[in-house]
Amino acid sequence: MSRMGGDGVISFAKWIRVLVWVGATACVAAVAVGRMSSPELSLRSMQPIRYAGLSALISSTHDGRLSFVDLETGKGQVMDVADGDQFSQMAWSPWVDESGEGQVAGFWRSYSGRNEQGMASEIGLARYRFPGGEPLDRVATDITPVSPPCWYPGTRAQILFADGGGTLHRFAFEGTHRSGTTLDGCDLAPSPIVWKIAPPGVDERSVRMMDPVWPEGRAMEGRLIVSLSMHRVEGDRHFTPPRLWWLKLDEAGEAIEAAGPLVRRDDSLDVRERCARVTRTPSGEYRIAYLVRDAASTDWKMTVAPLEFDDQGLPFVRPELASSDARVQAPIAPAFSSDGRWLYYLSDPHRPQSMKRVAVPRVFTPGEVRS
């Protein structure tokens, strides 16, 4: 027996039960914390994205080979993925693990049969190790991206993408521990990004978004950039031309809590803006590359401009400072080299050999718009 106070007696058996309960609770808490902050994440380090898939072509052979471009050397490379699978709309993680490997995520199709006789049996999202090509996840879903996804800031494997209806979705391959996830913290299905503020246009259904990109850098304060179009009048079936907007998500990354147009131009102009990419130059300045097209043109102009920030820290672009030197036939996003000195783009989506590299301008003079 063990005595407490003068007359309170706690049996040895009860002490054992208390200790067992405390130990079990501590174990559960440790497991939960461990799952929320996986040791793998602490071993990952941020690194500029070095690769891009600059092609709209979809292979008809389904040979399980992923083609991409090394943005430092300008050379094309190939990675083997699972035989019989087709992988497209890919995006590379902005980090690597302790072995120097990163990950690549995108849209996946599984085929039955071979070559032109192959039939798509399953579609969804997939994640692979890079450059090893080992498959990590294949998640079947009928919500498919129409452009490459972007990775959430940080080192957790989470992506954001736009579907064919213009809705943004998030998907976490790891680290989520809410309802609708696997034991490993992988979402079972993509979740739509909702509006926490009043959306532009009439309502949420009147907004279409595509081409999401999430630039790194403290100045962006976690804002991403999309190409956005909307209905302005209820019942109107016509959408405005797509324009670049910045979006700010809430802390959970599930809802839009602030938004605004990025390029400060006359709204009445029939100008389309797509496929933005952002880099930071060695001198610390931000540059943005995007595609511009007016109603009278069939080609897009490859445009580069300074990305500036106003007194409130909001990003903006002055079109009068834009430099437009090249034309491209299809809205395929360009890609900056990791040092921000070069810009790669594909002038013809059906000719991979049409990839070009141009130097990023250092100085922009008002009115120096070239076509």
Side-chain angles (χ1 to χ4, degrees):
M1 294 285 188
S2 174
R3 295 185 177 274
M4 296 185 63
D7 51 7
V9 179
I10 299 180
S11 68
F12 179 75
K14 190 170 184 179
W15 269 112
I16 294 297
R17 288 198 296 271
V18 171
L19 291 175
V20 169
W21 180 85
V22 171
T25 302
C27 289
V28 171
V31 170
V33 171
R35 290 178 62 186
M36 292 177 65
S37 55
S38 170
E40 294 181 359
L41 302 182
S42 63
L43 298 176
R44 294 173 181 170
S45 58
M46 302 300 293
Q47 178 173 294
I49 298 174
R50 180 173 171 173
Y51 306 96
L54 295 178
S55 178
L57 293 176
I58 296 178
S59 170
S60 61
T61 59
H62 321 311
D63 59 0
R65 294 171 69 83
L66 172 63
S67 300
F68 56 95
V69 177
D70 185 328
L71 298 174
E72 290 190 5
T73 66
K75 296 181 179 180
Q77 296 189 19
V78 173
M79 181 183 81
D80 291 327
V81 295
D83 187 29
D85 284 1
Q86 183 186 93
F87 191 49
S88 61
Q89 308 291 12
M90 54 276 193
W92 278 257
S93 64
W95 44 261
V96 295
D97 60 22
E98 73 280 5
S99 67
E101 276 201 324
Q103 297 179 5
V104 58
F107 180 43
W108 146 78
R109 292 182 177 91
S110 179
Y111 285 86
S112 58
R114 292 287 182 174
N115 300 325
E116 285 75 11
Q117 287 74 41
M119 298 289 291
S121 57
E122 205 169 19
I123 62 174
L125 304 173
R127 177 175 62 131
Y128 294 85
R129 291 193 187 278
F130 181 85
E134 175 190 351
L136 297 173
D137 296 285
R138 293 190 186 94
V139 181
T141 174
D142 56 357
I143 303 174
T144 56
V146 294
S147 61
C150 61
W151 291 70
Y152 273 71
T155 57
R156 201 177 296 278
Q158 300 183 78
I159 60 172
L160 183 145
F161 66 91
D163 67 10
T167 299
L168 295 182
H169 296 265
R170 65 170 295 177
F171 186 84
F173 290 103
E174 63 187 14
T176 51
H177 301 284
R178 57 182 185 272
S179 60
T181 63
T182 68
L183 292 177
D184 295 329
C186 179
D187 288 341
L188 297 180
S191 302
I193 301 295
V194 299
W195 288 85
K196 187 178 287 187
I197 59 171
V202 179
D203 54 30
E204 292 188 20
R205 296 173 298 175
S206 69
V207 179
R208 289 181 179 175
M209 293 174 284
M210 50 190 166
D211 309 324
V213 59
W214 213 319
E216 294 290 337
R218 182 174 300 176
M220 290 298 296
E221 293 186 347
R223 297 182 184 90
L224 63 140
I225 297 173
V226 299
S227 186
L228 182 148
S229 58
M230 65 186 118
H231 288 309
R232 289 195 180 276
V233 180
E234 188 172 0
D236 180 14
R237 294 180 178 272
H238 296 88
F239 279 85
T240 61
R243 296 286 183 86
L244 297 183
W245 278 58
W246 60 264
L247 305 178
K248 175 76 171 178
L249 301 192
D250 61 5
E251 187 175 354
E254 299 175 347
I256 301 168
E257 63 180 13
L262 186 70
V263 182
R264 296 182 174 178
R265 70 167 81 242
D266 186 349
D267 285 344
S268 65
L269 297 176
D270 191 7
V271 176
R272 292 152 176 80
E273 301 163 351
R274 292 278 311 272
C275 301
R277 290 295 183 268
V278 174
T279 190
R280 195 175 185 184
T281 67
S283 61
E285 299 172 317
Y286 284 85
R287 297 284 185 262
I288 183 170
Y290 58 100
L291 304 181
V292 177
R293 182 169 69 86
D294 58 39
S297 177
T298 57
D299 289 341
W300 296 82
K301 290 182 180 180
M302 179 64 61
T303 302
V304 183
L307 180 62
E308 304 176 80
F309 300 87
D310 63 19
D311 294 340
Q312 297 179 329
L314 302 179
F316 71 94
V317 174
R318 289 184 283 172
E320 65 270 19
L321 294 184
S323 173
S324 300
D325 286 329
R327 293 181 180 271
V328 298
Q329 296 180 12
I332 300 174
F336 284 103
S337 61
S338 56
D339 60 8
R341 297 180 183 273
W342 301 96
L343 181 68
Y344 295 82
Y345 67 94
L346 200 67
S347 60
D348 184 346
H350 301 290
R351 297 175 58 247
Q353 63 270 26
S354 70
M355 186 188 71
K356 302 181 184 301
R357 186 182 79 163
V358 295
V360 176
R362 295 184 179 181
V363 179
F364 296 83
T365 303
E368 187 190 2
V369 180
R370 301 185 296 274
S371 60

